[in-house]
Amino acid sequence: MATEVRGEGGLRIRSLRCEYLVDPFGIDVARPRLSWVVESGARGARQTAYQIIAASDEDHLVEGSTDLWDSGKVESNQTAHLQYGGAPLASGARCHWKVRAWGDGGRPSPWSTVARWTIGLLEPADWQARWIGSPPRAKRKRKAGLKGEDDPSPLLRASFTIEKKVKRASLHASALGEYEASINGQRVGDRCLAPEYTDYGKRVQYQTYDVTGLLREGENVIGAILADGWYAGNIGFGNIKLFIRSRMYGVDRRFLAQLAVEFTDGSARVISSGPGWRVWEDGPIRRADHYLGEVYDARKERPGWDAPGFDDAGWAPVAVDESVKVNLVAQMNEPIRVVERVEPVSMAEPEPGVFIFDLGQNIAGWCIVRLPASVIEPGATVKVRHGEMLDLDGSLYTGNLSAARAEDVYILAGAVDQELHPRFTYHGFQYVEVTGLKHGAKASPSMVTGCAVASDPPVASAFECSDPSLNRLWRNIYWTLRDNLPSIPTDCPQRSERLGWMGDAQVFSQASMFIMDMAAFYTKWMHDICDAQFDDGRFSNISPNPFMRGGAIVNFRGAPAWADCGVLLPWDAFVNYGDTRCLEEHYSPARRFVDQVHRRNPDLLWRKDRTFPDFGDWLNGDTIRSRDYPKRGGQVPKDVHATIFFARSAELLSKMAGILGKEEDAEKYADLAARIKKSFHDAFVDADGRIKGDTQAGYALALHFDVLPEGARPAAARHLVAALERYDHRLSTGFNSTTRMMLELARWGRADVAYGLLFSKRFPSWYYMIEQGATTMWERWDGFVKGRGFQSKMMNSFCHYSYGSVGEFIVRVILGINPSEQHPGFAEFTIKPVPAKQLSWVKGHVTTIRGTISCEWRLGDSRLDLAVTVPANTAATVHVPASDGESVLEGGNRLEDAEGVEYKGMQEGAAVVRVVSGTFHFASTMP
C-alpha cells in the first residue's frame, strides 16, 4: 500500500486556484492571482516560504527548465492572492503551474499536482468574429407589460472543413440574449443560460470552451440556438405594466463565435461567425422566457441540423450586425449549470388526467419529463406547470407567481419514447403538474426529475446537530441560497421579479460566504453593482438595474441598507477572502456613495433624499396578518434605520482607506463616522438610553454597528430584551435586523433569549415555517398561517434568503467560527461556541481560502467536550466554555502543559487559548 510523501513537517499542497477558480479556461486577466492551501497533520505547522513554477506545457514544468516563470524560493507565509510574475501572456496562452512550500525545518514539501489556466481574448482587436443573427425586425420594440407572443428561437449553423490533425481547439462564444452552442451535433460544455446576466450596455460576458475532442478531420459544423434571456425577455417585477418590461436591453438576439484551432504541424486557423453562416428562423422552440416558460413544437424539429451532412440550402444567410458595440469580458466565476437532480417523493392525481409530483424540495430550475410511447397521443400538447405549494384542495398553487406562468409546453410529433426539458427558462418550484397524456394513461413518479439550475460556487460548509429541526433549517438556508444564484443573487426564483436586490444580499452576505465559496461569484456581482451606480453617486437598489435603461422607475436607487450594500459587500469579501484588490476596485464607488449621502444630509442624520421607496426594516412584524400576533409598532423609525447605515458605511470606508494606505481619507471618514454617531445619539437616544421608537430592530442595529457610546450599550441591550418581552418573546424584526439582533443577544450575554427565539415553534419563527413543511426560507414570517391560508399574492415567495441570514448566527454562535477583521482571509480567527441547552451535540466545518476549520462539541453531565481543527499556516483563539481554567484539559493535559496551546486566562465564562494549526481536544466542566 502506497504511503503519501510529505515534506518538512508533513506539509502538502492542495486546492490550487487561479482567480478563485480551479483550472479556469479563458480568463482575461493577464497577470492573475494564485492561491493554494497548505495541509499538515502536525500541530504548529506553517509555511515559511514557497516556490511557484509555471510553463507553457507540462514538459517544461521542471525546476530550472520553465519557459514562463520560476519565482524562486520566496520567504513568505502567504498562500492567497500571489500575482503571477512571469513572462507576459498573450491571448490564447496556456499556463501550467505548481507550487511547493517550506516549513520551519527548512526542507521543502513535494511539488503540488499540476494546475493550469488559459487566457481568453485580451484585446478587442483579438476578435475576428462578427455579431450575427436573424434579420432585424422593425416590429420588435421595447414593450411595457408582459411579452407573451411566440418568437421562435433561430438556429444558426456554419460548415467548415479540417484537413489536418488537431492539437487543440478553443471556442470563444457570447450572445445578446442566451445561447447554446454545439459542434458536430454535440453540445459544447454544460453551461446554461449563457452568457448570463450583466448590464449589457456596460459589459457582455463571453465564455471559452475546450472543444478539441469535438472536432474531426473532414466536414465540421458549429451550431447555435438563441433565445431572449435577460437581454430581450420579460424582466422587472409585479404584474403591473409600470414595473415589468420586455426587450429592456435590446431587441434582436445576436451570436458571436470564434473557434481557434491549432494543428499538430504548428499551423493554426480561426473560424468565426460572419457572413458565411446560415439561419433557420422557424425552429422548434417557439417561445422561451424566464417568466413565462418555454414552448416546444417537436413538429418543427430539423434532425441533424447542427451535424455534418445536413442540407441547409433552404436556410437564409444570417444578418451581420455591425451596429453592435459592446464591452466583451471573460466570465470569471462559476457557470450556471445543472447542480443537483431531485427525484419525486410522491405523486398524486387530484383529478383525472392531472398528475402532481412532489419533489420534496423547493428548487429553482426545470424538469426532465420522460414520456413512454404508451402515454402519448400523436400531436398532443403536454403542459408542465410549476409551483412552490399546494392549495388547500390539493391543486397546484400558483397564486404567488404574479405575472409569471412557469409553464413549459410540449407539442408532440409522434408516439415514441421522449425525454423533454427546456433550455432557456427556469422556475422556482417543489410541485410539478403534468397534463396532456393520452386519455386514461397513468403517470409514474419516474417520469419526472427535477433539475436544480444555478451558478455553481463550491459548497464550503456542513452543519449537523442533535435537533432534526435545526438540521432542516440549515438545509433550508442552503437550498434557498442555491435556488437564488442564477448569475446574480436574486430575491426569489418563482415570481415575475428575480432581481438582484441589494438589501437582501447585504444582510445575507456573511451567511452565504459561510455556506459556499462565494468569492468569484461576488467578484462578478460587485462589478454589476458598480455598473448600476448612478452618476450622482447613489447605488441602485437592484443590480443590475434594468430600469436604468428607459424604465419607469428612474429613481429606483439610494434606499438605506439597499444602496449601502455597495460598501458592506466589498468589506465582507475582504474580511472573508483577504482580497485587497476588491477594496481597491470598489473604494472610489463607495466613497462617492458616502459623500452624496453626506452632501444631502449635512446635519448627519439621514433624513433627506432617502429615495422612494425607503424600505426601512423590510417585512418586519408590522406587516404580519394574524389574529395570533396583534402587536403593532415594531417598525424601527426610518430615520433611525437610515442613519445607522450611514454611520456604518462611513466607518467601513475609513477602514478601507486605512488598508489601502489612504491615510488622509481614513482619518476623514473615521471622523465623519464618529460625528454621525454623536448626532444619532443626540437626536434619537433619550436619558434612559431608549432609542427613538423603542423597537427590537432599533436596539439590534445600533448595537451591532457600534453606533452608541460604550457607556450606553449595556442599557440598549437591556432595552432590547425588554422590547422582546413586550412581544411575548416573539420577533417583530425585519430583514435587516433579525439576525443582527440574534448576534447581539449572544454578544451581550443573553444567548438564552436568542436560543428561545431560534428554537421556538410559535408563530412567527423559523421553526414555524418548518412545521408548515417549508424546505426553503420564506419571504414573510406569515407566508402561510394555519387557519388563515396564504399571505398577499403580490409578494409571497417561499424561497427568499433574507431570514435565512440566521445561518450566520448558527455558524458564529452555535458552531462558534468567526472571521477576524484584523487577520482577513482566516489567517487568524476565533472559535467561540456558545452551547445551547436545547442541543446535546453539534459538529460542522467551514472551508476557507486557507483550509477547512472544523468544530464539534458535546454536552453531558455538566461536561463539555470540544474538538477543533485549525488549518495549517493559520492560528485561532479558542474560547472553551468552563467554570474555571483549572477544569479545562486538552488531550488529557492541563492547559499549561498541553502541546501547542497558549493559555490566555478566563474571559466571560470561557478559558481562552491560542493555538497554531492542528486538531485539539478540550474537555471542561461547565458552570
Side-chain angles (χ1 to χ4, degrees):
M1 179 176 174
T3 58
E4 184 176 23
V5 179
R6 297 184 182 178
E8 179 60 42
L11 292 184
R12 57 191 182 276
I13 310 300
R14 67 164 185 86
S15 299
L16 275 64
R17 294 192 295 171
C18 173
E19 292 296 334
Y20 295 121
L21 301 173
V22 177
D23 295 341
F25 205 80
I27 66 175
D28 60 0
V29 178
R31 293 194 176 276
R33 299 169 303 168
L34 309 177
S35 302
W36 60 88
V37 169
V38 176
E39 286 189 339
S40 173
R43 290 188 178 183
R46 65 190 186 104
Q47 172 187 294
T48 60
Y50 68 83
Q51 181 182 10
I52 304 170
I53 58 175
S56 57
D57 55 48
E58 289 196 44
D59 291 341
H60 290 89
L61 199 62
V62 179
E63 186 179 10
S65 302
T66 58
D67 60 348
L68 291 179
W69 184 36
D70 185 339
S71 71
K73 183 178 180 181
V74 179
E75 303 290 336
S76 172
N77 67 350
Q78 292 300 305
T79 60
H81 310 304
L82 282 304
Q83 190 174 63
Y84 167 75
L89 300 175
S91 293
R94 298 181 179 229
C95 186
H96 300 72
W97 67 289
K98 59 185 179 180
V99 63
R100 62 177 175 174
W102 283 259
D104 287 319
R107 290 184 299 171
S109 72
W111 287 103
S112 68
T113 57
V114 177
R116 56 194 56 81
W117 78 84
T118 68
I119 300 295
L121 301 180
L122 295 175
E123 303 294 337
D126 295 329
W127 284 95
Q128 301 177 29
R130 297 159 75 181
W131 291 95
I132 62 172
S134 300
R137 296 181 182 177
K139 70 177 183 180
R140 289 181 177 172
K141 297 178 181 179
R142 180 176 294 140
K143 291 183 60 176
L146 202 68
K147 185 193 81 168
E149 73 271 16
D150 284 358
D151 195 359
S153 289
L155 311 179
L156 309 175
R157 75 185 306 271
S159 175
F160 59 98
T161 301
I162 288 179
E163 299 177 344
K164 302 177 183 180
K165 188 173 182 179
V166 174
K167 179 181 179 182
R168 57 186 171 222
S170 301
L171 176 67
H172 311 283
S174 186
L176 299 179
E178 289 169 349
Y179 74 91
E180 183 176 292
S182 59
I183 291 180
N184 295 331
Q186 297 185 58
R187 181 181 171 188
V188 174
D190 63 355
R191 296 171 183 262
C192 304
L193 309 182
E196 305 194 12
Y197 190 17
T198 56
D199 183 331
Y200 302 98
K202 302 285 183 70
R203 291 177 304 120
V204 176
Q205 296 186 137
Y206 70 89
Q207 290 75 35
T208 302
Y209 307 87
D210 184 348
V211 296
T212 307
L214 300 182
L215 298 177
R216 66 187 193 184
E217 291 190 31
E219 184 187 7
N220 290 264
V221 173
I222 306 177
I225 311 172
L226 300 184
D228 286 349
W230 291 277
Y231 177 77
N234 290 300
I235 199 166
F237 60 92
N239 55 12
I240 305 171
K241 286 186 177 182
L242 178 66
F243 299 142
I244 194 166
R245 295 284 192 276
S246 62
R247 298 159 186 161
M248 189 71 82
Y249 293 97
V251 173
D252 292 304
R253 298 163 293 199
R254 294 291 179 252
F255 182 61
L256 187 75
Q258 186 161 310
L259 175 65
V261 185
E262 299 176 45
F263 300 103
T264 55
D265 66 1
S267 62
R269 181 184 175 190
V270 174
I271 297 99
S272 299
S273 54
W277 286 55
R278 312 282 284 178
V279 61
W280 183 260
E281 296 187 76
D282 194 26
I285 299 178
R286 310 306 291 171
R287 184 187 70 225
D289 181 80
H290 291 179
Y291 291 173
L292 302 179
E294 193 164 297
V295 177
Y296 188 90
D297 189 343
R299 299 169 301 181
K300 298 285 187 178
E301 290 177 346
R302 294 292 179 267
W305 70 271
D306 57 350
F310 180 80
D311 182 5
D312 64 4
W315 290 38
V318 296
V320 178
D321 194 341
E322 304 292 359
S323 68
V324 177
K325 308 293 181 187
V326 298
N327 175 29
L328 283 165
V329 299
Q331 181 173 348
M332 296 281 288
N333 68 298
E334 298 86 0
I336 299 174
R337 55 165 63 103
V338 176
V339 293
E340 291 196 41
R341 296 175 187 267
V342 181
E343 303 297 334
V345 297
S346 66
M347 186 194 77
E349 189 177 5
E351 58 183 277
V354 177
F355 302 96
I356 294 182
F357 301 80
D358 178 4
L359 298 182
Q361 177 59 57
N362 201 2
I363 69 172
W366 56 63
C367 281
I368 296 172
V369 179
R370 304 175 188 87
L371 300 178
S374 60
V375 305
I376 294 174
E377 195 76 57
T381 296
V382 173
K383 291 185 178 181
V384 182
R385 298 200 305 146
H386 307 78
E388 295 183 293
M389 301 281 277
L390 295 181
D391 218 329
L392 299 179
D393 63 0
S395 63
L396 189 72
Y397 179 73
T398 59
N400 67 331
L401 298 183
S402 199
R405 292 182 196 162
E407 179 181 80
D408 298 326
V409 179
Y410 303 97
I411 303 169
L412 308 179
V416 296
D417 292 353
Q418 301 194 36
E419 183 172 292
L420 309 168
H421 67 82
R423 287 183 170 92
F424 300 113
T425 187
Y426 75 97
H427 318 291
F429 63 100
Q430 178 172 331
Y431 298 92
V432 185
E433 179 194 273
V434 177
T435 58
L437 305 186
K438 182 187 293 185
H439 180 71
K442 294 298 181 183
S444 67
S446 61
M447 282 184 178
V448 169
T449 296
C451 297
V453 177
S455 297
D456 197 17
V459 177
S461 65
F463 176 84
E464 189 178 2
C465 70
S466 56
D467 185 342
S469 293
L470 188 55
N471 295 333
R472 180 69 254 184
L473 176 59
W474 179 261
R475 291 293 295 169
N476 288 3
I477 297 167
Y478 159 79
W479 268 106
T480 310
L481 172 59
R482 175 65 89 188
D483 291 348
N484 282 286
L485 294 181
S487 185
I488 63 170
T490 59
D491 59 321
C492 59
Q494 76 295 108
R495 68 174 177 246
S496 49
E497 190 163 347
R498 313 185 196 184
L499 299 171
W501 285 97
M502 300 266 280
D504 309 48
Q506 61 84 11
V507 76
F508 190 65
S509 64
Q510 182 58 65
S512 71
M513 292 178 195
F514 282 145
I515 296 166
M516 292 183 181
D517 178 358
M518 299 292 288
F521 181 91
Y522 279 144
T523 297
K524 180 266 181 189
W525 191 54
M526 283 187 283
H527 288 303
D528 294 331
I529 290 173
C530 290
D531 286 346
Q533 188 173 24
F534 284 76
D535 290 341
D536 65 4
R538 282 183 280 193
F539 287 112
S540 291
N541 298 339
I542 52 176
S543 298
N545 186 346
F547 302 109
M548 296 178 74
R549 310 191 66 77
I553 316 178
V554 295
N555 289 318
F556 204 52
R557 56 185 168 179
W562 273 253
D564 291 275
C565 180
V567 184
L568 273 63
L569 182 60
W571 179 254
D572 284 349
F574 168 73
V575 171
N576 283 268
Y577 305 116
D579 191 341
T580 54
R581 189 180 70 184
C582 171
L583 297 186
E584 292 168 357
E585 291 178 346
H586 298 287
Y587 178 76
S588 180
R591 183 176 60 188
R592 289 175 56 217
F593 167 70
V594 170
D595 285 349
Q596 64 82 26
V597 176
H598 185 195
R599 186 169 60 252
R600 290 180 167 90
N601 297 274
D603 64 350
L604 305 183
L605 301 175
W606 194 355
R607 288 169 165 163
K608 298 179 181 177
D609 291 302
R610 293 201 304 263
T611 197
F612 174 82
D614 178 357
F615 303 105
D617 191 26
W618 188 245
L619 292 184
N620 60 83
D622 284 2
T623 67
I624 291 174
R625 297 189 334 207
S626 173
R627 286 173 293 181
D628 187 40
Y629 186 82
K631 293 287 186 180
R632 289 294 181 268
Q635 166 76 287
V636 56
K638 291 185 177 180
D639 51 359
V640 172
H641 175 266
T643 303
I644 290 172
F645 276 93
F646 182 21
R648 179 61 172 170
S649 285
E651 185 170 53
L652 291 185
L653 189 63
S654 170
K655 293 182 179 183
M656 293 178 187
I659 291 162
L660 298 175
K662 302 177 184 292
E663 298 304 329
E664 288 186 11
D665 274 9
E667 186 175 329
K668 170 184 173 181
Y669 291 106
D671 177 68
L672 174 62
R675 290 188 290 117
I676 297 169
K677 292 177 182 182
K678 183 178 185 305
S679 296
F680 177 91
H681 188 265
D682 292 346
F684 300 136
V685 183
D686 69 16
D688 294 327
R690 286 184 170 81
I691 297 173
K692 179 182 174 181
D694 200 21
T695 62
Q696 297 173 20
Y699 296 116
L701 292 171
L703 287 167
H704 191 70
F705 292 143
D706 293 329
V707 172
L708 301 171
E710 286 193 25
R713 295 173 191 175
R718 291 192 298 272
H719 292 316
L720 170 58
V721 174
L724 280 161
E725 290 171 348
R726 286 197 303 275
Y727 270 76
D728 191 25
H729 291 280
R730 300 198 210 187
L731 297 157
S732 70
T733 46
F735 282 8
N736 287 313
S737 62
T738 297
T739 293
R740 287 157 178 155
M741 179 177 69
M742 299 284 283
L743 293 168
E744 289 311 302
L745 287 169
R747 180 162 73 134
W748 288 93
R750 295 310 308 267
D752 60 318
V753 177
Y755 285 138
L757 297 170
L758 178 64
F759 292 105
S760 172
K761 294 182 180 180
R762 295 193 306 158
F763 171 84
S765 67
W766 291 279
Y767 278 25
Y768 183 85
M769 298 180 193
I770 293 170
E771 292 281 300
Q772 312 314 307
T775 62
T776 45
M777 304 305 302
W778 293 359
E779 179 176 23
R780 294 176 176 268
W781 291 117
D782 62 333
F784 179 87
V785 176
K786 292 178 182 178
R788 188 211 66 189
F790 295 101
Q791 241 277 12
S792 166
K793 292 182 178 181
M794 282 290 293
M795 191 178 68
N796 193 25
S797 167
F798 294 97
C799 187
H800 197 291
Y801 54 57
S802 292
Y803 287 126
S805 61
V806 74
E808 179 181 354
F809 176 85
I810 292 172
V811 175
R812 285 187 182 273
V813 178
I814 300 178
L815 200 58
I817 298 173
N818 290 269
S820 166
E821 291 185 3
Q822 291 72 36
H823 306 281
F826 288 90
E828 296 193 21
F829 51 91
T830 298
I831 297 179
K832 189 179 181 180
V834 182
K837 66 180 181 181
Q838 296 89 340
L839 300 173
S840 58
W841 61 268
V842 164
K843 64 179 178 180
H845 70 260
V846 174
T847 297
T848 76
I849 197 168
R850 284 181 168 83
T852 298
I853 305 165
S854 67
C855 180
E856 178 177 358
W857 57 259
R858 292 181 178 270
L859 276 175
D861 297 328
S862 298
R863 175 187 168 94
L864 173 72
D865 291 298
L866 172 65
V868 301
T869 297
V870 178
N873 206 43
T874 70
T877 298
V878 183
H879 294 244
V880 184
S883 58
D884 61 84
E886 293 297 318
S887 74
V888 182
L889 304 176
E890 194 288 311
N893 300 305
R894 296 174 64 249
L895 293 180
E896 291 84 349
D897 302 323
E899 177 193 357
V901 176
E902 181 185 0
Y903 178 42
K904 297 287 190 177
M906 291 293 294
Q907 180 182 322
E908 298 177 352
V912 181
V913 301
R914 187 176 187 275
V915 296
V916 178
S917 71
T919 297
F920 302 84
H921 298 272
F922 299 97
S924 69
T925 300
M926 293 289 288

